[in-house]
């Protein structure tokens, strides 16, 4: 397996160093073929592939499956996403569902999809939701890129119906009177960053509140960024309920002693050279 990993590292580097779309996607096709061949190896599910830095691999906490996902940049500033869901099997044989990015043809971001018409993203975090007596589903957080002006992040849901992966689930509850959503998509100025993560301190999925730079830019996401406040989704009885204006507290850090309060008049400013 280590030989496969070495080959995959070299191939992934070649994909991202290619100078044209044609060359980039040709090398990516070879990468995909090599990845599938490596996963055909008996008991490959237990191999971490942790040296593959160009792709993200997240495993479900119950160890029942893992997701490979990555993005390939396109010359026009957009991205194509690729991935697969590998299922753990008792006999160690390969059970794999390729993820086919169909973002261009998905007119409604709230639509339920499968692995064959996937709303592509590079997933980096997974949170299981267990409701007694029901099969668990999994909340996925991912980076979706977008174009030369804006970036996107997504909170999606993965469940399995008759052993087939389904993306999206009507579990996101917002304001009273609004219908439940299947997934949440954020869009913001490409030069900015956005926090989207499971916060252990609050036990909620926390994210930056995005707002336009000025009121006349509402709906033009090229001019959206964090307003330095946070919202969250709290998991309650198998549903994700919106909580606004969440207060986050930083964990104690050994570097805290080096923090200088700008309001403290007793602290002398550092003389610049």
């Amino acid at each position: 397996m280590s030989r496969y990993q070495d080959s995959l590292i070299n191939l992934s580097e070649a994909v991202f160093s290619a100078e044209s779309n044609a060359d980039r996607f040709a090398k990516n096709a070879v990468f995909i073929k090599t990845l599938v061949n490596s996963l055909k190896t008996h008991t490959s599910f237990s191999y971490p592939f942790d040296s593959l830095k160009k792709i993200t691999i997240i495993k479900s906490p119950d160890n029942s499956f893992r997701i490979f996902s990555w993005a390939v940049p396109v010359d026009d500033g957009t991205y194509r996403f690729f991935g697969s869901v590998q299922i753990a099997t008792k006999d160690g044989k390969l059970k794999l569902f390729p993820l086919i990015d169909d973002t261009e043809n998905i007119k409604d971001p709230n639509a339920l999809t499968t692995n064959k018409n996937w709303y592509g993203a590079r997933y980096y975090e997974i949170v299981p939701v267990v409701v007694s007596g029901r099969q668990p589903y999994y909340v996925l957080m991912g980076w979706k890129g977008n174009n030369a002006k804006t970036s996107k992040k997504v909170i999606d849901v993965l469940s399995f119906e008759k052993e087939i992966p389904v993306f999206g689930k009507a579990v996101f509850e917002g304001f009273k009177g609004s219908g439940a959503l299947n997934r949440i998509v954020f869009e913001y100025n490409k030069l900015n960053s956005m926090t989207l993560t499971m916060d252990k301190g609050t036990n909620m999925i926390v994210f930056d509140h995005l707002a336009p730079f000025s009121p006349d830019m509402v709906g033009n996401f090229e001019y959206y960024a964090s307003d330095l406040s946070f919202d969250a989704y709290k998991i309650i009885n198998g549903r994700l309920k919106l909580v606004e204006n969440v207060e986050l507290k930083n964990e104690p850090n050994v570097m805290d002693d080096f923090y200088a309060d700008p309001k403290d008049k007793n602290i002398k400013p550092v003389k610049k050279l």
Side-chain angles (χ1 to χ4, degrees), residues 15-80:
V15 171
F16 288 90
S17 63
E19 296 183 355
S20 69
N21 283 339
D23 192 27
R24 199 173 295 123
F25 286 106
K27 286 181 168 59
N28 188 63
V30 178
F31 174 86
I32 292 172
K33 184 177 180 180
T34 305
L35 177 62
V36 172
N37 286 337
S38 70
L39 296 179
K40 287 180 179 178
T41 304
H42 191 67
T43 67
S44 66
F45 187 83
S46 61
Y47 191 79
F49 292 99
D50 50 6
S51 294
L52 267 178
K53 304 303 182 184
K54 297 294 186 181
I55 71 173
T56 304
I57 305 169
I58 57 172
K59 183 177 284 189
S60 64
D62 58 10
N63 211 38
S64 62
F65 69 91
R66 61 179 176 174
I67 304 175
F68 297 75
S69 59
W70 67 98
V72 175
V74 182
D75 289 342
D76 63 3
T78 61
Y79 300 86
R80 284 281 305 281

Side-chain angles (χ1 to χ4, degrees), residues 68-266:
F68 297 75
S69 59
W70 67 98
V72 175
V74 182
D75 289 342
D76 63 3
T78 61
Y79 300 86
R80 284 281 305 281
F81 291 87
F82 298 85
S84 61
V85 179
Q86 184 185 21
I87 309 296
T89 57
K90 293 182 179 179
D91 57 8
K93 291 182 179 179
L94 177 65
K95 188 173 184 180
L96 196 68
F97 292 92
L99 299 176
I100 311 301
D101 186 4
D102 197 35
T103 301
E104 290 184 357
N105 298 316
I106 298 175
K107 305 304 180 184
D108 180 9
N110 197 47
L112 295 175
T113 65
T114 68
N115 63 298
K116 295 181 180 180
N117 63 332
W118 176 48
Y119 193 64
R122 182 172 177 172
Y123 302 122
Y124 56 83
E125 196 166 357
I126 182 170
V127 178
V129 178
V130 180
V131 182
S132 59
R134 303 178 189 175
Q135 185 177 6
Y137 68 80
Y138 305 85
V139 179
L140 305 174
M141 283 158 272
W143 177 83
K144 189 165 175 56
N146 193 35
N147 55 39
K149 294 183 178 181
T150 66
S151 290
K152 289 182 178 180
K153 283 193 174 181
V154 61
I155 311 176
D156 212 335
V157 175
L158 172 62
S159 57
F160 293 89
E161 296 184 8
K162 298 180 180 179
E163 300 186 344
I164 302 297
V166 175
F167 292 89
K169 195 176 186 68
V171 294
F172 296 95
E173 296 184 357
F175 301 108
K176 290 184 178 180
S178 61
L181 297 174
N182 293 314
R183 72 172 54 82
I184 304 297
V185 181
F186 305 94
E187 186 174 0
Y188 53 97
N189 181 278
K190 194 177 185 72
L191 297 179
N192 288 274
S193 60
M194 179 192 174
T195 296
L196 172 61
T197 188
M198 183 68 182
D199 182 72
K200 294 181 180 179
T202 61
N203 197 32
M204 292 189 286
I205 297 172
V206 174
F207 51 91
D208 281 305
H209 181 87
L210 301 175
F213 299 160
S214 63
D216 60 334
M217 296 174 180
V218 172
N220 190 343
F221 296 106
E222 180 185 353
Y223 300 102
Y224 274 58
S226 170
D227 64 1
L228 303 182
S229 66
F230 293 91
D231 299 327
Y233 278 104
K234 186 175 181 64
I235 302 171
I236 303 175
N237 297 325
R239 313 283 290 181
L240 280 79
K241 296 190 177 183
L242 181 65
V243 180
E244 296 185 288
N245 296 316
V246 175
E247 291 189 11
L248 299 181
K249 295 182 179 179
N250 292 328
E251 294 294 327
N253 190 296
V254 293
M255 297 300 291
D256 288 347
D257 291 338
F258 295 93
Y259 170 71
D261 187 345
K263 296 180 181 179
D264 190 340
K265 304 300 183 182
N266 295 321

